Amino acid sequence: MFFSRAQRRNLAYRQGFIEMLTVAPGIAAWGLMTGVAMATSGLHTPEVLAMAILVFAGSSQLAAIPLLGAGAPLWVILATAFCVNLRFVVFSAHMRSYVMHLPRAQRLIAGYFVADLTYVLFTKRYPTPGITDQERADQMAYLAGNATVNWLSWTVCSVLGIVLANYIPPAWGLGFAGVLALTGILCSLATSKMRVLSAFMGAVVAIMAYALPLKLNILAAIGLSVALCMALESVLTPAVKPQ
């Protein structure tokens, strides 16, 4: 079972826990400033507290907050959150082979806890799904330890940001710490020319398409960079001739 006692006793759980601690300060600072933004958006405190605890998706929260405060139609808010979170479709497709041995309820729990840095650290440590029962158990234990720190860092600090909103000046710029954490992870993953090209193309497209509504520049950046790299791989990788 996801987050079970057996997983917490697994050495891989501790490894995932410790590795996520290295980026937890950035996540915490980002969560704190997101909480401040939610608290000062004009929404009621119970509403922003519920969002902080249940939604667990910082980018879509930040995108939805001004729309909620402006009284935008529900379909616009949902469409915006959907577009911003489309990257999780890619994450889910990749993670599918890692978790398909779990019951559906546990897969849903795992899906809720998988976030950007959780996904990055997990796939960096485990490039391929486990084959044996022990390998799968180790991978799920690592994911659980990783997700524990990530969820607590984000959620606790988001709630603190809501509670302490009137005492944290925006001039502190704590939200930039989250950007620095993501940048550090991105640089550590740039281990091949194709990955560097993908990151560069994604950044260029995201900037060029910044004026698109509903954060669609993010979707365009992901789609074009992935399509380009897949096309290059198909051209550069020699075909394997049948024996």
Side-chain angles (χ1 to χ4, degrees):
M1 182 178 179
F2 204 74
F3 286 97
S4 65
R5 179 178 299 178
Q7 286 180 333
R8 294 194 298 270
R9 291 178 176 176
N10 191 313
L11 178 61
Y13 179 91
R14 186 184 306 171
Q15 293 171 336
F17 194 98
I18 292 173
E19 288 189 13
M20 182 55 76
L21 283 177
T22 60
V23 295
I27 298 171
W30 200 357
L32 188 68
M33 294 311 296
T34 300
V36 172
M38 290 192 294
T40 57
S41 65
L43 300 177
H44 298 297
T45 300
E47 294 173 340
V48 293
L49 284 173
M51 179 183 287
I53 296 171
L54 298 176
V55 176
F56 190 46
S59 54
S60 65
Q61 288 174 240
L62 290 173
I65 286 169
L67 297 176
L68 288 169
L74 180 60
W75 72 268
V76 173
I77 298 171
L78 293 177
T80 301
F82 176 79
C83 291
V84 171
N85 278 347
L86 272 177
R87 67 190 185 281
F88 289 106
V89 176
V90 180
F91 296 171
S92 298
H94 187 196
M95 291 287 291
R96 183 177 185 275
S97 55
Y98 289 90
V99 300
M100 279 306 295
H101 64 284
L102 298 174
R104 179 179 297 176
Q106 294 177 34
R107 296 200 304 270
L108 291 174
I109 294 173
Y112 168 76
F113 283 103
V114 171
D116 297 89
L117 294 179
T118 307
Y119 168 79
V120 169
L121 291 178
F122 177 80
T123 54
K124 181 181 178 182
R125 186 170 185 86
Y126 298 106
T128 57
I131 299 175
T132 66
D133 290 342
Q134 185 58 52
E135 289 175 343
R136 290 174 174 175
D138 290 344
Q139 290 182 355
M140 292 302 99
Y142 178 91
L143 183 62
N146 194 304
T148 297
V149 176
N150 190 42
W151 188 87
L152 288 174
S153 299
W154 176 267
T155 306
V156 171
C157 289
S158 292
V159 172
L160 282 177
I162 294 170
V163 174
L164 302 176
N166 294 328
Y167 304 97
I168 301 176
W172 285 7
L174 292 178
F176 190 63
V179 177
L180 292 178
L182 289 172
T183 303
I185 292 293
L186 173 65
C187 292
S188 70
L189 289 173
T191 55
S192 68
K193 293 180 179 179
M194 195 63 70
R195 290 184 176 182
V196 172
L197 176 62
S198 176
F200 177 77
M201 284 300 302
V204 170
V205 174
I207 293 172
M208 292 180 63
Y210 184 77
L212 289 176
L214 303 178
K215 303 292 184 180
L216 286 175
N217 62 314
I218 298 175
L219 176 59
I222 294 172
L224 290 177
S225 60
V226 170
L228 173 63
C229 289
M230 289 181 65
L232 287 176
E233 281 187 337
S234 65
V235 172
L236 299 177
T237 303
V240 178
K241 297 181 179 180
Q243 300 295 329

